[in-house]
Amino acid sequence: MRQPMGGPETAAPQRMDPALTLVLAVACGLTVANLYYAQPLLALVAHSFGVGQGAATTVVTLTQVGYALGLLFVLPLGDLVENRRLATRTLLVTATALLLAALSPVFGMFLAVSVLVGTTSVVAQVLVPLAAQLAPADQQGRIVGRVMSGLLLGILLARTVSSLVADLLGWRAIYVISAVLMLGLGAVLRRMLPERVPAHAAGYRSLLASLGELVRSEPVLRRRALCQATMFGAFTTFWTVIAYELIDEHHFGQAQIAVFALVGAGGAAAAPVAGRLADRGHGRAASGAALLLAAAAFVLAAVGHSSVALLALAAVLLDFAVQGHQVLSQHEVYALRREARARLNTVFMTTVFAGGAASSAVAGLLHTGHGWSGVCVFGTALPLAGLLLWGHGQWAGRSRALRESSRVVGASSPAGTSSTARPVDPVDVG
């Protein structure tokens, strides 16, 4: 059995009741939404600051860069700093950054605080492994699935909400509203979260260095992260380009695009379903099914591009597959090392985020050169690549199990008494 990297972990007794699960789900959704509020507001931002639309798009880029920095340098603190204090203090900084964004008099200041907004919004990724830590072992998948439902709804609804608020109150209002929500969330989390003092005590530099050790020593982490990167890449490919398809082919306006985005929110229903499947031991088979479903969704999007209804169905199926696969992946990843869940999540989410960002860039180029059909070919190929990784993992797991079985048989004495052999870790199989 693996030994913890630090001393004994200190945590309050588990009390993951439905109220706390709901609070964590809402907190994850509201914090991660900060990454996406600006996307439908870029034309308004450009007009307000007197810059071109090309310059305005750097707001989205820098917010995502800030998020990547947060994943690498803030998220690992979940294994070092008492979790309630980390979450509430990070939310205080998020609220400050959002208020500065709302009050920014010049574009340069707005860009700078956008980086800070992205960096501190990783508090959502601090709360997901905390939910797994607090959950009883036999309910971990179900509870993580419910919390992830809130996070996914935040991603999917942020664009619609910011568009509607901007239409009523101006584009700066969403930042003020979100700042107030972050302060309220901080107060609620401080009241409801139990204290959890992590096991790692060797310091921040050692904490970051251990990320490489996790990547080297955990094949399940590598495979799950890469598979989900292909799935999230498919997700960003679709949602990066679909607005162009709806405008060019179906003559949608901004309000209609916002309504279409709501359709994708139905995919959030996959999270609790996936969590229950994982708890019952069906995670690996369900992962393969999710990868196939994502590829099929892009085939449907290509064949049915002339029908808004079929595009909407493809969006729901794709979101269902991507979100379900993420919950299944996190369930398996979090089981690897209980004392290192924040760092496991750092490696997992950084890999997933990189896959999504790269795929989004490629999708834009493909749409320019080859149209919607080129995008759909690329989108289909991504989950199929993930399916190859999944298949290799299944084969490797069976081979490992056979080797372990042979070792046990080979160690048996002539009298039929077997010598002691290390049992197969179920997490390592497959």
Side-chain angles (χ1 to χ4, degrees), residues 129-424:
L130 178 59
Q133 201 81 29
L134 297 174
D138 60 342
Q139 298 178 32
Q140 180 182 306
R142 187 181 313 165
I143 288 174
V144 169
R146 290 172 181 169
V147 173
M148 283 297 298
S149 294
L151 186 148
L152 301 171
L153 282 173
I155 293 174
L156 296 167
L157 298 180
R159 302 173 184 89
T160 300
V161 171
S162 64
S163 294
L164 295 175
V165 170
D167 189 48
L168 293 172
L169 303 172
W171 71 267
R172 294 177 187 264
I174 189 63
Y175 290 96
V176 176
I177 292 170
S178 186
V180 173
L181 290 172
M182 295 304 103
L183 292 173
L185 280 176
V188 172
L189 291 176
R190 182 170 181 79
R191 180 179 179 83
M192 294 193 65
L193 281 181
E195 291 187 356
R196 173 184 170 258
V197 180
H200 190 90
Y204 184 62
R205 183 177 297 181
S206 169
L207 190 78
L208 293 181
S210 68
L211 294 175
E213 188 273 331
L214 287 174
V215 174
R216 289 191 299 272
S217 63
E218 298 292 356
V220 171
L221 172 62
R222 295 195 301 269
R223 187 185 73 254
R224 278 296 190 176
L226 289 172
C227 280
Q228 185 59 27
T230 66
M231 289 289 271
F232 191 62
F235 176 88
T236 59
T237 292
F238 184 91
W239 289 105
T240 295
V241 177
I242 189 61
Y244 298 128
E245 180 70 9
L246 293 173
I247 292 170
D248 296 342
E249 297 297 323
H250 301 283
H251 312 294
F252 270 32
Q254 200 64 39
Q256 291 169 300
I257 292 173
V259 172
F260 185 91
L262 289 173
V263 173
V273 173
R276 287 192 292 271
L277 288 172
D279 284 338
R280 294 170 183 170
H282 304 307
R284 294 191 182 96
S287 295
L291 290 158
L292 281 173
L293 181 60
F298 262 103
V299 172
L300 177 63
V303 173
H305 69 94
S306 60
S307 167
V308 173
L310 290 179
L311 288 174
L313 178 59
V316 172
L317 294 177
L318 177 64
D319 288 3
F320 192 92
V322 173
Q323 314 315 346
H325 190 272
Q326 174 149 334
V327 172
L328 295 166
S329 297
Q330 287 177 309
H331 183 274
E332 190 169 4
V333 166
Y334 291 159
L336 296 174
R337 301 193 190 185
R338 181 180 177 87
E339 83 287 350
R341 279 175 173 162
R343 282 165 288 163
L344 290 167
N345 205 34
T346 294
V347 174
F348 179 80
M349 287 305 303
T350 302
T351 305
V352 170
F353 179 84
S359 298
S360 180
V362 171
L365 294 174
L366 284 173
H367 187 260
T368 300
H370 302 282
W372 181 247
S373 59
V375 171
C376 288
V377 169
F378 178 61
T380 304
L382 285 170
L384 290 179
L387 189 65
L388 289 176
L389 288 171
W390 175 85
H392 175 74
Q394 296 296 102
W395 175 83
R398 291 192 181 94
S399 298
R400 192 178 303 117
L402 288 173
R403 287 197 301 271
E404 292 292 341
S405 299
S406 299
R407 191 177 305 165
V408 171
V409 172
S412 300
S413 65
T417 304
S418 298
S419 61
T420 302
R422 184 183 70 84
V424 181

